[in-house]
Amino acid sequence: MADRTNRPLQCLALLLLSVTLFVIAHMVEAQTAGGRLVITGSDASSVPAITLQAYGVAADGSPLDLSTQSLVVTHNNEIIEDVEVVRTVDTGTFTIFLLDVTSGVAAQIPVLQEAILRYVSSSFMREGIDYVAVYRIGATEAAQVLEPTPFYNTVRNFFATELATEDGPTALYDSAVNLLTQISGLAPDPALVPSLVIVSDGTDAVSSQFEAGDIAARARELAIPVHTIWLQNADLTVGQEVGRNYLAEVAADSGGVAARLDQPESTDAIFSRLVALGRQYVVQYSVPSPQPGTHTVILSLEDTPSVQAETTVTVEAATPVVNLNIPPESRSLTLPELEEPVSLGFSADVSWLDGVERTLQQAQLQVNGQPIADIPPADLGRFTVEIPNLAFGSNRIQLVVLDDQNLRGASPVINLEVAQGDAAIPEELQPRSTLAGMLPLCLGGLLLLALVGLAAFYAYRRGQLRLPARLHRRRAAPVQVDEAPAPAAAPAGGYYREEAPAYRPAAAPGRVAYLEVIASETPIASPIAINQEETRLGRSPNLSDIALTQDLTVSRLHATITWDGQIYRLYDEESTSGTWVNDQRVPDYGTQLVDGDEIFLGKVHLRFRHP
């Protein structure tokens, strides 16, 4: 009797449990349906504007175009809807190939190597930007066989010898999950987008730490897509279909692509997906009342709030607050053509977040990421600049300053729209002085020049002024000479030219500057002191003070660093591959160097230090 009485209650409880599970399942599905966001960096040097660097991945693993999405930022629980994507950056990718090469797949190893080499080519991988590493599936965990490299030839040289097979059981689940956990720490740069490509028959006999579903679960948790390539194992009499289906499920559940080694078009689909994730977005938002300290920031999609990423942003109390005064209604102009530099006027003001007044040492206007002009700090109230690199469409304008405590500040990036048509420049962007306004200044200057000339002539006639025997040129033109044969072996500290140049003024007392060698084929000691007024870098020992003799991507005379008593400046010497500072090509008039600047000469990577 009691059983009959409780049966309706049992049915009701079962119904409630079913409904609960249904709702939970749909909530989980809703949270993952829109994809995921990942923040790879942040910058608070432009307060009240703050920038985030991020990328998005759709539910199917394809990249999200954040420039077409409505984004929302939550800054310390304050919702900010005015969020703008100001530019994109090619940060590159980090791909690990995890190989399961047992004796049963020996016949497919040449095809496997050919497939990876097809990815490591200009068709897919971008040399110097995308990184590749190779691991083997082991009995307990993955083992590295090729460390991360951004170079085609390094991978080609590795596969010059055919991979050897390994006998014995392999732990696919343990190897893959442990590698996913470590992959972010293995990346050469935290901004690189990581991916894992598993090449296996899909079977696992010895894993003890993890189970089949843990690979996709961990990949979703870390926002790392897992792509799979199925190998047919001749030693397996049964289970081929099961292994292939399992790899397909792992790829689908983690946002990856599944392929078969014997179908090149399917592996190429993986390779296309890998490099597509290498483009990231710089997102900018403004805080109404910025405060120093560490703040929690959440970036999310307005249409799908559950798709979000979280980070922390630290605002220093002494940060310079830079305002480039271009009101929204003045951020567009019309010009008939852009063949000649365009003269525009600007005004700016600088304060400090903690309210303490400091002295500005340097100020520089940047347009579209390139330094255009150094502005005297005293002229920031109103200054005129000739801009040679404006383009029709959107142009990024930013003012960067450095104070007497070596703290860097930057104005928020302002997008200046330039249309083609009859000239129309807003009043706020008009050059500083008209011809009528310049006339008194010119007359005064001419009068002053005449007085100085008369005084100099009078002193010369009385013998109190003597002209110098010769004038020293700041930069001598490179002398074309035949290169001497390189020595058989470079010394441990790299090759430095021993003969002294004709003119080398002594370094200023107390000045300490040096170059850190981050990447170079030439064995050279690091750091390298910069203790001359002019330091030349290149491949030729006869033309260079710092000779990178084994780096073939470096020109014979590649670049020159000068010191004028106040600042260091870097010039490109018409090199083949150009000279780059912080991903920006050095223009003909050079680039001023500040502490921490990243310098690239071909594939040589240096860091400028001037504490």
Side-chain angles (χ1 to χ4, degrees), residues 273-331:
R273 178 67 62 82
L274 291 175
V275 298
L277 291 173
R279 171 163 293 184
Q280 298 186 25
Y281 300 83
V282 177
V283 178
Q284 177 176 282
Y285 68 96
S286 292
V287 183
S289 301
Q291 298 295 327
T294 299
H295 310 280
T296 300
V297 175
I298 300 174
L299 176 68
S300 61
L301 301 183
E302 183 178 28
D303 296 336
T304 316
S306 60
V307 179
Q308 60 180 234
E310 181 176 324
T311 189
T312 57
V313 173
T314 300
V315 179
E316 299 293 341
T319 299
V321 180
V322 185
N323 290 315
L324 190 57
N325 301 318
I326 309 177
E329 63 273 13
S330 300
R331 297 179 183 180

Side-chain angles (χ1 to χ4, degrees), residues 78-255:
E78 181 180 1
I79 297 178
I80 300 173
E81 296 182 349
D82 186 13
V83 182
E84 179 185 12
V85 174
V86 294
R87 61 189 174 97
T88 60
V89 288
D90 289 327
T91 53
T93 60
F94 176 47
T95 302
I96 291 183
F97 287 90
L98 179 59
L99 311 181
D100 190 5
V101 284
T102 60
S103 57
V105 301
Q108 299 175 78
I109 289 180
V111 182
L112 167 60
Q113 296 184 173
E114 180 183 348
I116 296 178
L117 291 177
R118 191 166 65 252
Y119 170 67
V120 186
S121 67
S122 58
S123 298
F124 296 103
M125 176 183 167
R126 296 160 298 176
E127 188 172 37
I129 296 180
D130 298 316
Y131 281 73
V132 171
V134 179
Y135 279 70
R136 281 181 180 269
I137 295 176
T140 57
E141 60 181 1
Q144 184 186 82
V145 293
L146 175 63
E147 62 183 10
T149 175
F151 302 119
Y152 301 154
N153 284 338
T154 304
V155 184
R156 292 189 184 113
N157 293 337
F158 172 73
F159 282 124
T161 303
E162 186 173 300
L163 284 173
T165 60
E166 291 189 5
D167 296 327
T170 53
L172 171 61
Y173 308 152
D174 290 353
S175 297
V177 176
N178 285 326
L179 194 55
L180 282 168
T181 304
Q182 303 170 22
I183 194 169
S184 295
L186 298 172
D189 185 338
L192 296 174
V193 181
S195 296
L196 179 63
V197 181
I198 298 176
V199 185
S200 171
D201 59 21
T203 62
D204 187 335
V206 298
S207 283
S208 58
Q209 302 177 52
F210 302 101
E211 299 179 353
D214 291 336
I215 297 179
R218 181 60 58 86
R220 290 194 303 271
E221 176 186 344
L222 300 173
I224 299 174
V226 176
H227 308 278
T228 61
I229 300 177
W230 179 70
L231 294 172
Q232 186 170 3
N233 191 334
D235 293 341
L236 293 178
T237 56
V238 294
Q240 298 276 9
E241 189 73 18
V242 174
R244 184 168 66 246
N245 291 340
Y246 170 69
L247 292 179
E249 291 173 3
V250 169
D253 291 346
S254 65

Side-chain angles (χ1 to χ4, degrees), residues 534-575:
E534 184 174 284
T535 302
R536 295 176 291 181
L537 300 89
R539 197 176 74 254
S540 169
N542 295 321
L543 300 177
S544 308
D545 303 299
I546 300 175
L548 304 160
T549 57
Q550 299 181 25
D551 289 271
L552 300 181
T553 59
V554 175
S555 298
R556 297 167 70 229
L557 176 59
H558 198 109
T560 300
I561 298 175
T562 65
W563 166 256
D564 66 359
Q566 293 183 337
I567 62 173
Y568 287 91
R569 204 165 187 89
L570 177 66
Y571 295 86
D572 179 73
E573 298 291 358
E574 299 181 351
S575 62

Side-chain angles (χ1 to χ4, degrees), residues 315-388:
V315 179
E316 299 293 341
T319 299
V321 180
V322 185
N323 290 315
L324 190 57
N325 301 318
I326 309 177
E329 63 273 13
S330 300
R331 297 179 183 180
S332 61
L333 64 150
T334 306
L335 297 170
E337 48 85 21
L338 293 173
E339 296 179 0
E340 299 294 332
V342 179
S343 184
L344 295 179
F346 301 94
S347 67
D349 56 77
V350 181
S351 60
W352 282 261
L353 200 58
D354 56 7
V356 178
E357 289 295 324
R358 297 177 177 85
T359 302
L360 289 181
Q361 300 292 332
Q362 301 169 17
Q364 184 183 77
L365 187 72
Q366 298 183 357
V367 179
N368 294 327
Q370 296 183 8
I372 298 303
D374 294 330
I375 313 300
D379 294 346
L380 287 179
R382 186 67 183 172
F383 59 94
T384 299
V385 175
E386 286 195 347
I387 304 177

